[in-house]
Amino acid sequence: MRHQIHFGSKQIDFTLEYQDRKSLGIKVRPDSSVQVLAPSDSMEKEVFRKVRAKGYWILKQIAHFDSFRPATPPRRYISGETHLYLGRQYKLKVIADTENIVKAYRGQLLVYATDTSPKAVEIQLHQWYRQRALIIFDELLDELLPKFRKYKIAKPILSIRSMTKRWGSCTPGGKILLNLELIKAPKGSIEYVMIHELCHLVYHSHTKAFFDLQTRILPDCKKWKDRLEYILA
Ligand SMILES: [Zn+2]
């Protein structure tokens, strides 16, 4: 069942499910949807009161997930256009050639292409970003893992995907999924997202212990998080 409450000037939409459980559970998912699980014998009025009491926390969780949501302006894939790679701006230069090669060189993103149409350039560039991401993200993971030695986490399996709603996620089974778009952000910001997900392998939810660990491993995490929003916003 869909419901909503008003909290300050904000509206919180949530789904409500009754379950055989002892206490009320509230989950904010990465897509910012809110799920409320209530004990089967609870009164709806009481459920609403409890959700409202948690309003501030819910909005904070939503803001957290929203900050992981990239918004890149549409690209036309023509020479002269600016594209990002590792936090730096590169000017795209499309050059007709007999081979397909991409090179980032002195502020230029050189795309040698057998087909110079925007669609073909887009595909070629996408593949290049993906190849770079596979190499760089894996290198970073190897650099960061020793910082978690104490927690004895196995090297997670890394997957990369283009996502519109978040920068990264992880499963308790030890898989980390990163947004391909991260390859456009500075290394520090990629590290921040990776550290955030690695911390989740130690502490599943955003508890104080989670944030303490994150700050201990990356003291200037706020700076890199902000940079992420600025770069891809
Ligand atoms: Zn998180």
Side-chain angles (χ1 to χ4, degrees):
M1 265 287 272
R2 299 214 137 269
H3 296 277
Q4 54 182 235
I5 59 155
H6 292 273
F7 186 82
S9 61
K10 305 264 170 117
Q11 179 183 314
I12 297 171
D13 294 295
F14 62 94
T15 57
L16 175 59
E17 254 177 75
Y18 291 95
Q19 284 185 341
D20 183 21
R21 55 186 293 144
K22 287 206 170 68
S23 61
L24 190 87
I26 302 175
K27 282 186 199 162
V28 181
R29 295 205 194 85
D31 65 0
S32 292
S33 64
V34 181
Q35 183 187 27
V36 176
L37 303 168
S40 45
D41 60 350
S42 46
M43 308 273 286
E44 198 173 276
K45 216 175 119 186
E46 188 59 13
V47 170
F48 273 65
R49 193 191 63 77
K50 283 181 175 160
V51 172
R52 195 168 290 116
K54 281 282 207 173
Y56 181 72
W57 176 86
I58 294 169
L59 291 174
K60 241 177 75 179
Q61 298 301 306
I62 291 174
H64 168 79
F65 286 123
D66 283 349
S67 75
F68 275 70
R69 214 159 285 156
T72 321
R75 299 281 156 188
R76 296 190 298 149
Y77 301 94
I78 51 168
S79 288
E81 191 173 60
T82 296
H83 286 256
L84 290 163
Y85 172 57
L86 293 177
R88 292 211 189 94
Q89 296 201 325
Y90 287 83
K91 226 174 209 148
L92 186 65
K93 195 172 178 186
V94 181
I95 305 144
D97 203 282
T98 51
E99 277 182 283
N100 291 326
I101 299 166
V102 178
K103 278 181 194 163
Y105 183 71
R106 293 192 174 180
Q108 283 193 313
L109 202 51
L110 305 164
V111 179
Y112 297 92
T114 52
D115 179 352
T116 57
S117 68
K119 190 70 215 163
V121 171
E122 178 182 359
I123 292 168
Q124 207 183 322
L125 209 50
H126 182 85
Q127 284 169 347
W128 179 76
Y129 274 131
R130 214 187 135 70
Q131 285 163 6
R132 297 308 303 156
L134 282 168
I135 295 166
I136 290 165
F137 294 179
D138 194 60
E139 279 172 5
L140 277 178
L141 183 60
D142 284 336
E143 274 172 42
L144 294 172
L145 264 183
K147 294 179 194 279
F148 290 85
R149 192 171 287 135
K150 207 174 123 187
Y151 302 96
K152 297 191 168 59
I153 49 173
K155 184 177 175 174
I157 297 164
L158 205 61
S159 349
I160 300 168
R161 202 190 295 162
S162 293
M163 295 183 280
T164 52
K165 291 192 169 171
R166 51 183 159 166
W167 291 116
S169 67
C170 67
T171 65
K175 258 191 188 169
I176 290 184
L177 178 64
L178 293 177
N179 194 336
L180 175 60
E181 291 293 303
L182 274 175
I183 195 64
K184 297 173 185 173
K187 264 195 180 168
S189 296
I190 305 172
E191 264 177 32
Y192 159 71
V193 175
M194 210 175 264
I195 286 169
H196 185 96
E197 299 309 335
L198 286 168
C199 289
H200 273 313
L201 298 179
V202 183
Y203 299 107
H204 187 62
S205 48
H206 294 139
T207 53
K208 187 177 178 301
F210 171 90
F211 287 112
D212 286 349
L213 176 64
Q214 182 176 269
T215 312
R216 204 154 60 237
I217 288 172
L218 187 66
D220 51 1
C221 58
K222 190 176 175 333
K223 172 183 142 191
W224 293 115
K225 182 175 181 245
D226 290 349
R227 203 59 208 279
L228 195 57
E229 286 165 44
Y230 172 74
I231 284 284
L232 293 171

